[in-house]
Amino acid sequence: MTSSSHRVQGLNNDEVAADWPPINAADIAWLSARYPQLGERSVPRWHSPRPLSAAAIVDGPHGPVFIKRHHHSVRSASCLEEEHRFIAHLAAGGVPVVQVLASADGQTAVEHGQWTYELHAVGVGEDLYRDAVSWSLLTDVAQAREAGRALAQLHRAAASYYAPQRSTHLLVARDDLIRADDPIAAIKADLPARPGLARYLARIPWEAQLRRDVLPWHAGLAERLRDEPALWAHNDWHVSNLLWRDGQVSTVLDFGLASPTSALFDLATAIERNAVAWLELERGRDAVRIEIALALLEGYRQVLPLSATRVQLLADLLPMVHFDFALSEVEYFEGVTGSTANADVAWQPFMLGHPAWFHSAPGQALLQALHAAA
């Protein structure tokens, strides 16, 4: 499964061998017979360093095309189409989303052997953060404010979209457990259908660890979220998923984590992704950019007002916003790629370490600033 010659970004901001081989001539040849946007002479010009799938920009006869390839155990064609229908709704609502390309027979996702493929047009704008890892800081306050405005505009269009929960837990950001009265019971109920996660958790005292390190932050959240409407959301609003033109967001990329969560969950995720350097916490206060968090919030509120009560809830969501996704990463690494070492990273510094950081002086300063902004 591992491709030793293709290098990608690792979980510790290092360079590691890819779990998935790069897009190659055989992939392109098979797709070229089905997608008119590709041709016999299409060749990759760039391979993505992202680790959870394989992706490349390929030169087609009419311009560049973005190809993304997933293992079938992670995304089926029907599962990808859940994302594509959401993207199409946003596009109809005027959101500058990436264009999903259809094959000659009208499919937006196709399966071949162990792989599932999707093709996109290359987005409009400059990829200012192409090489940024997912936990790197957004450094420009004006960009943060614009990113907040763009997120609110996406939410405004998403408010009229209705679809069921995603058909997978793998590498999807849900808020099911945060909304659950008893997250431990909810996890146990899911385990028979999630064997990779069950296998990992069986080896560790997970219940005691969650009760000690994570669930104190959950107290009262489920009740407070009952009045927070479910909303299909992006759920990975990091600047590396945005293209820019003239200081504005010109294309929104990568809906792989999208699911029905809530507007506050999506905004809290944006703050977590862009305002905290999770891989450099040893920098202390320099690892958090409170002004970036506040600019995201300010830009969002310029488009969609938030009451003081909802801003308080936003702040209180932050230490828990990673909860469901951390479990999905544990499940992916243990159950799909077979890397218990990576599953340990997803459990220890991610699942347990993120809420622990919010007890630190920098973490408390971030929460206090958001509370004060209400």
Side-chain angles (χ1 to χ4, degrees), residues 203-260:
R203 298 197 292 264
I204 62 173
W206 66 276
E207 292 183 55
Q209 291 175 341
L210 290 184
R211 293 188 196 282
R212 181 192 67 215
D213 297 333
V214 182
L215 294 185
W217 294 103
H218 181 263
L221 277 182
E223 182 178 357
R224 294 167 67 192
L225 284 167
R226 288 196 181 107
D227 293 329
E228 187 62 28
L231 178 83
W232 266 78
H234 187 276
N235 296 333
D236 192 16
W237 199 257
H238 185 260
V239 282
S240 60
N241 289 327
L242 305 174
L243 302 184
W244 299 81
R245 173 171 285 179
D246 299 327
Q248 294 186 316
V249 173
S250 55
T251 309
V252 180
L253 308 171
D254 197 352
F255 284 77
L257 274 60
S259 75

Side-chain angles (χ1 to χ4, degrees), residues 40-260:
E40 293 180 0
R41 298 183 180 180
S42 296
V43 293
R45 68 157 74 158
W46 171 80
H47 289 280
S48 171
R50 304 292 175 186
L52 303 181
S53 60
I57 294 177
V58 173
D59 285 318
H62 308 294
V65 175
F66 180 81
I67 301 174
K68 192 170 186 179
R69 191 193 64 210
H70 311 261
H71 193 262
H72 70 83
S73 63
V74 180
R75 290 289 185 271
S76 65
S78 61
C79 187
L80 276 181
E81 287 164 358
E82 296 165 0
E83 302 169 22
H84 297 168
R85 286 190 290 271
F86 181 44
I87 293 171
H89 176 87
L90 295 175
V95 180
V97 290
V98 66
Q99 179 189 0
V100 182
L101 301 178
S103 65
D105 60 3
Q107 295 177 285
T108 61
V110 294
E111 297 178 355
H112 178 56
Q114 64 181 327
W115 305 117
T116 306
Y117 299 86
E118 58 181 320
L119 274 63
H120 300 168
V122 172
V124 174
E126 187 177 358
D127 192 350
L128 299 178
Y129 292 82
R130 170 182 282 189
D131 298 320
V133 297
S134 293
W135 302 109
S136 56
L137 287 167
L138 198 169
T139 57
D140 187 290
V141 171
Q143 286 179 359
R145 194 174 295 111
E146 166 60 17
R149 283 193 290 265
L151 182 59
Q153 290 159 356
L154 185 150
H155 288 172
R156 189 163 56 191
S160 56
Y161 184 72
Y162 304 98
Q165 179 56 275
R166 295 298 299 272
S167 58
T168 183
H169 285 274
L170 281 172
L171 303 182
V172 169
R174 299 190 184 197
D175 68 350
D176 302 357
L177 296 176
I178 303 174
R179 290 181 182 265
D181 291 322
D182 186 346
I184 297 287
I187 292 170
K188 287 181 176 179
D190 279 344
L191 291 182
R194 304 174 72 177
L197 179 61
R199 184 167 63 248
Y200 183 86
L201 294 183
R203 298 197 292 264
I204 62 173
W206 66 276
E207 292 183 55
Q209 291 175 341
L210 290 184
R211 293 188 196 282
R212 181 192 67 215
D213 297 333
V214 182
L215 294 185
W217 294 103
H218 181 263
L221 277 182
E223 182 178 357
R224 294 167 67 192
L225 284 167
R226 288 196 181 107
D227 293 329
E228 187 62 28
L231 178 83
W232 266 78
H234 187 276
N235 296 333
D236 192 16
W237 199 257
H238 185 260
V239 282
S240 60
N241 289 327
L242 305 174
L243 302 184
W244 299 81
R245 173 171 285 179
D246 299 327
Q248 294 186 316
V249 173
S250 55
T251 309
V252 180
L253 308 171
D254 197 352
F255 284 77
L257 274 60
S259 75

Side-chain angles (χ1 to χ4, degrees), residues 52 135 169-174 257 265 273 321-330 350-351:
L52 303 181
W135 302 109
H169 285 274
L170 281 172
L171 303 182
V172 169
R174 299 190 184 197
L257 274 60
F265 178 94
R273 293 283 196 272
V321 76
H322 73 304
F323 193 26
D324 288 73
F325 187 66
L327 282 180
S328 84
E329 284 209 321
V330 170
F350 188 15
M351 171 63 87

